[in-house]
Amino acid sequence: MKTGKKYPFLFLLPYVLIFTVFIILPIIVAIGLSFTDFNTVQSPNFVGFNNYINLATQDSIFMQYVLPNTVTFSLIVGPGGYCLSFLLAWAIAQLTRVPRMILALIFYSPSLTAGVAMNVLWKIIFSGDATGYANSIAINLGIQTEPIAWLISYLLPIMIIIGLWSSAGVGFLAMLAGIMNADEELYEAGAIDGIKNRFQQMIYITIPTMKAQMLFGAVMAIVNTFNNGAIGVQLSGSNPTPGYAGQLIVNHIDDYGFIRYEMGYAAAVSVVLLLIISLFSAVASSLFTEKE
């Protein structure tokens, strides 16, 4: 190999090492541990596919609560948050520079401050006593006579609301950048060809010309949706959540891995979650990848 051709590989080497150490190796270790019974104290004991069999046939909590909650949460927050991010990005892109910058910061900030907002904002709004804003307003308006324990009775719907509220993250910024960098000549050509309004521009020009940003936003939405289990734990203050009302797959992994110390079983659930995310990411890739 010529000396000049070595330089690109030298520049890539730090990234490859970091990616291998912090991504590839943990995945390999997790897959290996998923076939064992491991309590972090004794040596792992190989049990074959028992963890996966138990997950599918004996884990009633997973089948009755965790999986339905995850499906409900992901089907609403994933596509809903993705569409909301795109529509916000498209609407903001129509504004001038200063209001666009201010609104982009406002909509992006919930994804940065979600953990703090959970304690400062949402737990106060949905507090289970009469001082909570939701209960106080409903009682004053005569809608209800007694306080409602919102974070127990309606934990999953509240998690969905917060998930949508904080969905405008990095994917939102990528889509905004894609819309802002669209070629103006395409819109002029579209107007000549019969495109009459901004909605038609969005469908026939904007989305097809920013498939890379749309794919990135879709992948980020999928990953963030399946990793949003912290919402229920922060709101309820416990894992498992009360009555498993807001228990997602991520919470199930934390429960078995860091509370019960059944690392082998937790690793098996992690592998299942990885496969689910990979499946949805592959679907998103097939939708937004250019066909040759």
Side-chain angles (χ1 to χ4, degrees):
M1 182 182 293
K2 296 181 179 180
T3 304
K5 294 184 178 180
K6 294 180 181 179
Y7 292 124
F9 293 97
L10 292 176
F11 281 111
L12 286 172
L13 184 60
Y15 170 78
V16 172
L17 289 175
I18 293 173
F19 185 79
T20 301
V21 172
F22 293 102
I23 303 296
I24 301 299
L25 288 180
I27 291 176
I28 294 174
V29 172
I31 294 174
L33 287 177
S34 70
F35 297 103
T36 67
D37 180 14
F38 181 43
N39 60 7
T40 73
V41 177
Q42 299 172 324
S43 299
N45 179 33
F46 182 77
V47 295
F49 289 94
N50 282 359
N51 288 326
Y52 295 98
I53 294 173
N54 292 338
L55 178 64
T57 61
Q58 298 184 17
D59 193 342
S60 59
I61 299 300
F62 181 82
M63 289 299 176
Q64 293 180 13
Y65 301 101
V66 176
L67 190 58
N69 288 345
T70 304
V71 170
T72 302
F73 183 86
S74 59
L75 288 180
I76 297 176
V77 175
Y82 179 72
C83 294
L84 182 62
S85 295
F86 173 77
L87 291 175
L88 287 174
W90 178 79
I92 291 174
Q94 315 305 315
L95 304 176
T96 56
R97 182 175 178 274
V98 174
R100 181 173 66 241
M101 180 178 63
I102 295 173
L103 288 176
L105 179 61
I106 291 174
F107 287 120
Y108 178 65
S109 59
S111 64
L112 297 176
T113 61
V116 177
M118 221 75 68
N119 293 313
V120 177
L121 176 64
W122 296 104
K123 289 184 72 172
I124 296 176
I125 293 176
F126 293 106
S127 176
D129 53 30
T131 61
Y133 289 156
N135 280 328
S136 177
I137 293 173
I139 291 174
N140 289 334
L141 292 176
I143 299 175
Q144 62 190 55
T145 57
E146 296 180 355
I148 296 176
W150 295 99
L151 298 180
I152 296 178
S153 303
Y154 301 97
L155 181 57
L156 186 60
I158 294 173
M159 289 172 58
I160 292 173
I161 293 172
I162 297 174
L164 292 172
W165 170 75
S166 60
S167 61
V170 178
F172 159 75
L173 295 182
M175 288 187 279
L176 178 60
I179 296 172
M180 295 300 301
N181 291 323
D183 190 351
E184 291 295 332
E185 293 181 357
L186 294 175
Y187 294 105
E188 295 174 2
I192 296 174
D193 289 339
I195 293 180
K196 300 178 181 179
N197 52 57
R198 291 187 180 276
F199 180 76
Q200 290 180 333
Q201 287 180 349
M202 179 179 67
I203 298 298
Y204 295 110
I205 298 178
T206 304
I207 294 178
T209 57
M210 51 176 291
K211 286 189 175 182
Q213 291 85 354
M214 297 293 287
L215 174 59
F216 177 77
V219 173
M220 293 303 299
I222 292 168
V223 173
N224 291 334
T225 299
F226 283 101
N227 283 328
N228 260 341
I231 295 177
V233 174
Q234 289 177 335
L235 287 175
S236 63
S238 65
N239 186 15
T241 55
Y244 298 97
Q247 197 78 351
L248 305 182
I249 293 180
V250 173
N251 307 126
H252 206 57
I253 295 171
D254 290 341
D255 180 17
Y256 276 89
F258 302 107
I259 297 177
R260 310 187 193 198
Y261 291 103
E262 297 182 21
M263 288 293 181
Y265 190 78
V269 182
S270 299
V271 172
V272 171
L273 178 60
L274 175 63
L275 293 176
I276 294 174
I277 294 176
S278 300
L279 175 62
F280 281 96
S281 298
V283 173
S285 179
S286 65
L287 293 175
F288 293 109
T289 301
E290 294 286 349
K291 304 295 189 299
E292 296 184 0

